[in-house]
Amino acid sequence: MIHKKSFFSVGIALTMSVFSGPGRADWAETTDLSVVRPAPVDRQIQAQNPPAFAWSRYPSATKPPSYTLEVQKNGATVATFTSTSNVYLPSKAFAAGEYTWRVRPSTKADWSTPRSFTIDSSSQLFEVPEAATIKARILAHARPRQQASTFLPRSKWTQAMITARGPALTRLSSYVSSQIVGQQYALAAPSDAKWPLTSTLPSATRTLYINQISQSVGDVGNQTLGAAVLYRITGESKYLQEALTRGDQLAALSPAGMTSYVNHDIGSNNITMALAKTADLLYAELAKDGARKARWMASINARFGALYADLSSDDGRLDYQPYDSHGTEARGFLALVSTLTIGDIPAADKWFDFSFRPYVNSISVWSGPEGGFSNGSAYGMYSADNMLQMWQPMAEITGVNIFDKPWAAGFSRYLMQFVPPGAPGHVFGDAHEEEMYNFVLKGFSSRIKSANAAWYAKNIPGDEDDLTLLQAPYPLPVQTVTEAPLPPPNAALYPSIGWVAMHSNLSDLKRTSVYFKSSPYGSYNHSHGDQNSLVIDSGGRRLLIESGYQDYFYSPLGLSWYRQTKAKNAITFNKGVGQIIDQNTQNLAMNGKITAFSTTPALDYAAGDATPAYGGALSSAVRKVWYLRGQDAVVVVDKLSAPTALSFEWNLHAGGPILKESATAVKISKVDRTLCISSLGTEKNGYQVRTGPPPKEGTTEDHGAFVKTVTAKSAEFIVLLDVGCKRPKTTLTSTQTGRVLTVGAQTITIPN
């Protein structure tokens, strides 16, 4: 199956690290939100062995030539490293134990405050050799470098391979053949004449050009690479000619025009990746035409010369201010292309030294080492697509398989928890309303060798992308798992991004799923003002929804509704005033935090503190959530306070009509599923209908809120969400230390 998709999906960002520093006033840690935080974090067990080290640059007028990093165990120095940057990844693992580390500039004996970390049996081995060792591997690899020595043309496929990959080959052959130059439905060639150079200032014309470029170079890039892959598999000359012709079209685009790095960085990167991959696959054939090869290499050199100049500015800006999503993705593309072009482009050598190990060291700025994606599951899915395009060839070329990195396994489990099989949509952040790319979810999980990944890949419907599959090793890693497919636990916390998932039964496609967020990333970049918010699914229906849609990034519609707290199932006051979403990098400080989490077979619990997200308007905003698995019900308690009297509001949004049953009870219906919501407790409030902008075409939204009847400096909401409207008997009894709430056969304690 060929999947029409855009690679142009990740927004520009700077954000603070998810690592919370130890609160010490030493030079290795700064209060600047855009600057890297020290890592490893104090007293943290490391997911990866060896761990990655990072610190703020030394605050001196002249940049130190290098830093000395010292690691101690039981008071004795066990390792000393020298780094010219403020990040460092050792190439060898540490023995199990507790360690401390500190760092100083080479010019002064000014040691940072020691910080501790632990390596234990849960720390997964992931060693990345030094650059010189990897470079030697690359140069020793026969061309095509991205093609394994076990590669077989179609004529030598076994029956098992024919069964596994034959359908993908048939589909890709038909798709590429239908678009070959000269055919009735041939793809139009991209051309600079279609997109005259405009001002770099935003405009309607510029936006139109960017969208057209994204579609055109994406389609032609896929056609170029698809034809090259088919030529390697089938040997048919028509595919060779198509790959060369389409490659010429991409190489002819001006690196200084609208497809340039400065005008459309992701478009330029994808042009370059398609050229570099195709040049490697057709290495012998391209060598026969020196002029053509020179044109292709000149295009790659110009485009990635501009990329390298950007990323290497300020002595390697990503090392110091790494929270730039376009930049970190671009570094991955630079790492891949350098491995493909070393020996052909002189600059590729320095590109590789600059990018490869740093990229492998820090794949994503949107979570900590446990994996995850704070910018939302949709953007996590888009990034997974890019990872597939980069990591798969890198593993063969370099021998470093990033799919084996602990972060990658954690990220795959994040997808399982927040985009499980049967889920009706994405959660949190931009594009939550967009379609599911099952081919990406299946493809990424298929590269992870685990029983969890085997369960996920088996239960995600459809096929992965044909072009990606036909470039993959055979059999896929997930197909080599010997254990029975096994879903992950029914509840999970991702602390570095502040996300919690609670499921009735993850293995059941008709499950109930409760999603709760209180994130240290705040509302920056693709994140919203949705700290302490909820989403609830049941039976494949989204009952408690995130309302609105994104017409374009940071649009008036997005800022006035889509990103606002009032569009979420969260707390506002005074008719919709909510969390801060429009103060640029300061949005990072307008954040939340998961303060408690526990799970048992019968009961899950999480608590979040979103006080900072309200920018001082509230003195306290704490939400506690219980999922009563035995009752398939959710209890939510909000305790709120403010410096001045406010009218507090408990917002709710539905994917179907909301029926008011009483002043404190409503019923949501969505096709064949229902959710009854009751406001309990002794404080008086009443349900009010709310309105929002027109929803996305083809969808239904309804809005409302429980509103306190009097203004006050403090308030409490106790709300029961009864999935399926079973209407269990409830009692709320006061005790000396709090209250006891009984819901059907289950009881929880609500502290004062």
Side-chain angles (χ1 to χ4, degrees), residues 87-105:
V87 296
Y88 187 77
L89 177 63
S91 58
K92 296 296 181 182
F94 293 98
E98 296 183 0
Y99 295 86
T100 60
W101 68 277
R102 61 179 187 168
V103 64
R104 69 172 179 85

Side-chain angles (χ1 to χ4, degrees), residues 618-685:
L618 300 186
S619 307
S620 178
V622 174
R623 170 167 281 186
K624 299 179 179 180
V625 180
W626 291 262
Y627 176 52
L628 286 66
R629 190 169 284 107
Q631 301 294 316
D632 200 15
V634 183
V635 174
V636 180
V637 175
D638 288 279
K639 292 189 72 68
L640 310 158
S641 63
T644 59
L646 301 172
S647 176
F648 291 98
E649 303 150 346
W650 200 99
N651 294 277
L652 58 99
H653 306 272
I658 302 174
L659 173 66
K660 181 178 179 180
E661 296 188 320
S662 73
T664 56
V666 299
K667 179 179 180 180
I668 295 171
S669 299
K670 181 71 177 287
V671 190
D672 56 351
R673 293 283 164 156
T674 58
L675 177 66
C676 287
I677 307 176
S678 303
S679 179
L680 309 175
T682 57
E683 291 186 8
K684 292 184 178 180
N685 62 77

Side-chain angles (χ1 to χ4, degrees), residues 9-15 261 265-266 269 304 306-313 316-319 321-336 351 354-356 358-360 362-366 375 383 386 390 525-526:
S9 2
V10 183
I12 298 173
L14 295 174
T15 181
Y261 177 76
D265 60 329
I266 301 179
N269 293 346
F304 269 29
L307 184 157
Y308 172 75
D310 172 33
L311 298 187
S312 62
S313 63
R317 63 180 180 83
L318 292 179
D319 291 341
Q321 294 180 310
Y323 312 112
D324 170 356
S325 57
H326 273 215
T328 52
E329 293 268 347
R331 183 160 61 180
F333 284 119
L334 185 63
L336 169 62
W351 296 347
F354 171 79
S355 64
F356 185 80
Y359 173 70
V360 177
S362 180
I363 295 298
S364 173
V365 300
W366 303 115
N375 260 348
S383 289
N386 281 332
M390 292 186 286
N525 189 240
H526 291 296

